[in-house]
Amino acid sequence: MAPGLVETVSRFTDTHTVDIKSSLKNKTPLSYIPGRNIVEKHDEAYEYEHLRPSFPDLKWPALEEAPYHDKGLLGDPSFKNLLSAASDVFDFNPKIGTEIHGVDLTNLTDAQKNDLARLIATRGVVFFRDQKNFDIDAQRQLGAYFGTLHSHATTACPQREGLTDVHVVYTGENSPDLRALFTPTFLWHSDVTYEVQPPSYTSLKVLTGPPRGGGGDTLWSSQYAAYDQLSPSMQKYLEGLTAIHSAELQAQGTRELGRPVRRDPVTTEHPLVRTNPVTGWKSLFFNPGFVTKIVGIPKTESDHIISFLNEIVATSPENHVRFQWNKDDVAFWDNRVTNHSASYGFAPHRRHAVRVCCQAERPYLDPNSKSQEDDLSEKYGIPKANKDGSGIVNYND
């Protein structure tokens, strides 16, 4: 039967007769205006008033190096503990992104938390829908299980006291659209990579957001896949380089807005290719938002390499996953092996979310580590990508 057709002859011996044609005739037509959604009204008794943004005028010392023991190393390779509670699990694409249903993040056992860390490190980002019970205290508790929580030097904290290690994302109904202030590649970033110990496991929960189709999606890009996209010669070249990650521009913008900078900005040198300690895979460690220079090469060369890597990160759709949020959805990602980007265009809807992340190890490169593509090819016989761009062009899709 063709999609959309309705059989009008009943196949059931039932004493009740249903006039399907009449039912369809009396059905209320759908109300639809292309590109327009009903705007949710928020009264004064807003449920998350205590999590609205504030900018406390505090002064913190420089971060000290903290011990880090990656919980993902304790996770089961089959993720059996985490998935024992799941009703469904699926990948968004082969490179990045997994969604799990049926798991309550508030009630995870330690074994399930370890599996979750291992899965995040493997898949880059993992999504959970409708986590109503996962309040800010539970979110911080789970984040602290993974490591020392990171407090951001410039961005908003919740109005409730004692939550300076929580980052608030808030765009109100009358907030300006800031797209004109950034290039699209600059919006791609990995959080606070200028720190000596940039974060690993990071969670974001959307408290209030645009309705379905109203915009406000977040995109993630796999740095495992970005590394694999490069030729062996380029991989080897980048493995010998380090990059400068700077907090100066972020601090400058904060001061110009009249807001406090709670910790002096830092500039840090990190390897341009790093190894993830859980998977043992190499990944690019490049951040369009914070990398300012590549060390040891001429500026012209540095600028061209930065531009090239910006393009790889931002314009490779097979490396991307895009997530359409609903209220109470949660994303967990590994900040070491992904970049992410917000998307604009959701005005006049309110978008309110809270983020928690923990400090990880100092970035390092193990020259004996493998790439994701090499490892999966050996394990499962997955063919490697052809990287010879000199062939005959005939693109069909």
Side-chain angles (χ1 to χ4, degrees):
M1 185 170 64
L5 297 181
V6 179
E7 285 189 286
T8 57
V9 178
S10 175
R11 294 181 177 178
F12 304 97
T13 55
D14 191 44
T15 55
H16 300 282
T17 302
V18 179
D19 186 345
I20 296 178
K21 287 185 177 179
S22 175
S23 175
L24 290 174
K25 188 183 297 183
N26 296 327
K27 181 182 176 182
T28 304
L30 291 173
S31 176
Y32 169 68
I33 302 175
R36 292 291 176 266
N37 307 88
I38 296 174
V39 178
E40 182 180 358
K41 301 296 183 182
H42 301 279
D43 56 28
E44 295 181 1
Y46 179 47
E47 181 181 2
Y48 298 110
E49 190 69 30
H50 62 297
L51 297 178
R52 277 182 183 265
S54 68
F55 297 89
D57 191 1
L58 303 171
K59 193 64 179 176
W60 299 331
L63 286 176
E64 296 183 0
E65 196 159 351
Y68 180 71
H69 307 285
D70 202 308
K71 299 294 187 179
L73 293 168
L74 304 175
D76 188 274
S78 68
F79 318 108
K80 64 180 182 180
N81 303 296
L82 178 65
L83 298 182
S84 65
S87 59
D88 192 18
V89 56
F90 57 90
D91 293 340
F92 279 64
N93 66 61
K95 297 294 186 182
I96 183 173
T98 297
E99 186 168 319
I100 298 178
H101 294 181
V103 171
D104 184 352
L105 290 172
T106 307
N107 296 310
L108 297 180
T109 65
D110 285 356
Q112 288 176 317
K113 295 172 187 176
N114 298 337
D115 281 7
L116 174 58
R118 190 180 186 102
L119 182 61
I120 298 165
T122 302
R123 294 295 301 158
V125 57
V126 181
F127 305 108
F128 297 87
R129 298 284 187 183
D130 197 27
Q131 296 290 315
K132 289 186 172 62
N133 298 329
F134 194 57
D135 62 17
I136 192 58
D137 297 307
Q139 189 175 355
R140 291 178 69 240
Q141 185 176 11
L142 182 52
Y145 177 81
F146 294 133
T148 302
L149 296 185
H150 177 267
S151 296
H152 203 293
T154 62
T155 56
C157 306
Q159 292 186 3
R160 192 183 110 187
E161 291 186 2
L163 299 181
T164 54
D165 50 20
V166 176
H167 165 58
V168 178
V169 178
Y170 186 91
T171 304
E173 294 85 339
N174 299 314
S175 297
D177 187 323
L178 302 177
R179 270 177 291 184
L181 300 178
F182 306 101
T183 62
T185 56
F186 183 82
L187 286 172
W188 283 96
H189 67 284
S190 182
D191 296 325
V192 297
T193 56
Y194 45 72
E195 304 288 18
V196 173
Q197 293 176 270
S200 54
Y201 306 114
T202 304
S203 65
L204 183 73
K205 178 178 179 179
V206 165
L207 308 172
T208 301
R212 184 176 65 179
D217 301 352
T218 304
L219 296 87
W220 283 264
S221 178
S222 169
Q223 298 220 63
Y224 290 139
Y227 174 83
D228 278 329
Q229 196 169 335
L230 306 173
S231 69
S233 299
M234 181 59 75
Q235 290 173 344
K236 192 68 176 176
Y237 169 63
L238 296 183
E239 286 176 19
L241 298 175
T242 58
I244 298 297
H245 298 242
S246 177
E248 292 290 346
L249 182 62
Q250 194 172 63
Q252 176 187 341
T254 297
R255 293 191 188 101
E256 289 174 355
L257 289 169
R259 296 170 180 168
V261 176
R262 296 182 288 271
R263 188 166 52 242
D264 289 339
V266 295
T267 297
T268 309
E269 188 174 333
H270 291 309
L272 202 48
V273 177
R274 72 184 293 180
T275 301
N276 185 286
V278 177
T279 62
W281 295 338
K282 294 177 183 178
S283 75
L284 193 64
F285 189 55
F286 174 75
N287 188 337
F290 294 124
V291 168
T292 57
K293 299 174 183 177
I294 297 175
V295 179
I297 60 176
K299 186 177 189 312
T300 300
E301 190 173 335
S302 172
D303 288 350
H304 279 81
I305 292 297
I306 287 173
S307 177
F308 167 63
L309 295 180
N310 279 340
E311 183 176 4
I312 292 289
V313 168
T315 67
S316 304
E318 63 273 16
N319 300 350
H320 294 173
V321 61
R322 183 176 187 130
F323 187 64
Q324 187 177 73
W325 297 92
N326 292 312
K327 180 181 172 66
D328 295 320
D329 290 348
V330 175
F332 261 100
W333 67 92
D334 190 336
N335 205 62
R336 299 168 292 191
V337 299
T338 59
N339 279 290
H340 59 278
S341 178
S343 62
Y344 285 98
F346 55 86
H349 304 289
R350 177 182 296 184
R351 189 172 185 272
H352 188 188
V354 282
R355 189 192 74 199
V356 173
C357 63
C358 68
Q359 295 173 235
E361 77 281 357
R362 279 177 175 257
Y364 70 95
L365 172 63
D366 177 357
N368 296 317
S369 54
K370 297 180 179 180
S371 76
Q372 181 188 49
E373 185 176 68
D374 285 344
D375 193 36
L376 297 183
S377 179
E378 289 178 17
K379 287 180 178 177
Y380 308 116
I382 299 172
K384 297 182 184 180
N386 179 9
K387 297 179 182 179
D388 183 358
S390 65
I392 298 171
V393 175
N394 182 22
Y395 176 76
N396 293 296
D397 192 5

